[in-house]
Amino acid sequence: MGRLDGRVALVTGAARGIGAATATRLAADGARVALADLDLAGCQQTAAQITAAGGEALPLECDVSDAAAVARTVTAAADRFGSLDILVNNAGITRDNLLFKMSDDDFDRVLNVHLRGAFYCARAAQKHMVAKKWGRIISLSSTSALGNRGQVNYSAAKAGLQGLTRTLAVELGQFGITANAVAPGFIDTEMTRATAQRMGITFEQMTTAASQRIALARVGQPAEVASVIAFLASDDASFVSGQIIYVAGGPVGMSM
Ligand code: NAP
């Protein structure tokens, strides 16, 4: 018996990284999982791993910044599995630059994927949750919400997701739906590896420097974020809503 037996989840950005780890973890806990990403082949790969482990998974191609595509994806997941109980807003991109070099397009694209994408997904998913009087919406914020050099777009989107989460909690609580955010610090994924490459340093140099600012003296792994999301998705977190849980290996906003 898994704690998510009978539940249906949709995880965006599930082709790799934190999204893939989350889809895999929710499936291991018993949920049937729809995986949505721009990268269909990556979703199919994650879905195959879930199926091989005895779970049920549905890979779907979706751009979360496209409202019509999101509506089709949510309908496809609900049609296939009969409901939609858990939404994980995970899809994300970075387009880092200092303010004076930040283009309109890079600002808009990051806001559109993270913030508009989460809005579209939550709006489409809530009707299935309201009908069942049970639901979980978990969005990926970041320590960057507190401010981060070179990320005026990303930090604004991640701070915006915190406001969105608290408002979803207020509006949807009466229907038995909780909304929470997890805000990771430095996690070892393609996203952080690409940042190191852009900065012209090795990933090892980057993690060594980052580890010096983390109480646990190391960077995190995708599974360590996924396990917190799985808790928030479960009945174990039935009275937790509107919260931002930092998953950063220590307190955030402190200088070490
Ligand atoms: P990742 O490895 O880059 O994976 C992100 C996934 O999202 C990719 O498969 C990407 O597909 C997909 N995606 C991008 N734009 C999309 C769109 N418009 N529609 C659907 N899917 C899209 O990133 P990650 O590190 O696992 O990050 C996952 C989430 O955690 C993000 O929201 C990120 O901001 C957040 N986060 C990460 C860290 C960290 O240290 N890694 C820290 C804090 C927060 P493509 O490959 O096709 O672009």
Side-chain angles (χ1 to χ4, degrees):
M1 285 286 284
R3 65 179 170 176
L4 297 180
D5 280 353
R7 302 293 184 201
V8 176
L10 169 63
V11 181
T12 68
R16 64 174 196 229
I18 295 168
T22 299
T24 304
R25 175 60 194 259
L26 297 182
D29 283 356
R32 289 171 292 163
V33 185
L35 301 93
D37 202 293
L38 287 175
D39 174 8
L40 180 61
C43 279
Q44 287 166 333
Q45 213 174 346
T46 312
Q49 284 162 8
I50 290 172
T51 309
E56 271 187 76
L58 174 67
L60 296 164
E61 186 173 358
C62 177
D63 177 352
V64 298
S65 66
D66 176 343
V70 167
R72 281 195 302 275
T73 297
V74 166
T75 301
D79 283 354
R80 167 69 176 268
F81 294 128
S83 67
L84 181 55
D85 310 305
I86 299 160
L87 167 67
V88 182
N89 287 315
N90 168 82
I93 57 168
T94 53
R95 295 286 185 276
D96 297 354
N97 231 327
L98 291 174
L99 175 64
F100 77 103
K101 287 192 282 189
M102 176 74 63
S103 69
D104 294 2
D105 189 55
D106 283 347
F107 187 84
D108 288 346
R109 188 69 197 136
V110 167
L111 269 287
N112 284 344
V113 173
H114 291 272
L115 197 48
R116 195 175 272 273
F119 159 61
Y120 288 155
C121 289
R123 188 177 59 182
Q126 57 78 29
K127 62 175 185 284
H128 298 282
M129 300 175 183
V130 167
K132 269 181 82 175
K133 296 271 189 292
W134 196 97
R136 298 281 187 266
I137 300 174
I138 300 141
S139 301
L140 271 288
S141 179
S142 166
T143 52
S144 294
L146 302 170
N148 198 26
R149 190 178 180 76
Q151 292 198 313
V152 72
N153 49 2
Y154 185 84
S155 62
K158 292 309 199 185
L161 279 166
Q162 298 193 3
L164 177 130
T165 292
R166 292 166 63 89
T167 300
L168 293 179
V170 169
E171 289 192 17
L172 300 175
Q174 63 187 308
F175 304 110
I177 300 165
T178 67
N180 291 287
V182 291
F186 192 123
I187 308 297
D188 177 356
T189 68
E190 291 298 318
M191 184 178 273
T192 41
R193 285 175 185 271
T195 302
Q197 204 168 16
R198 242 188 349 264
M199 291 169 70
I201 57 174
T202 66
F203 190 63
E204 288 63 37
Q205 286 170 323
M206 195 175 175
T207 53
T208 302
S211 299
Q212 285 163 11
R213 299 187 298 272
I214 299 171
L216 285 172
R218 65 173 178 84
V219 304
Q221 295 301 318
E224 295 178 294
V225 181
S227 58
V228 180
I229 294 172
F231 161 69
L232 291 170
S234 76
D235 281 323
D236 290 337
S238 51
F239 207 52
V240 181
S241 195
Q243 300 305 304
I244 317 300
I245 318 264
Y246 284 89
V247 184
V252 289
M254 319 255 302
S255 50
M256 289 183 54

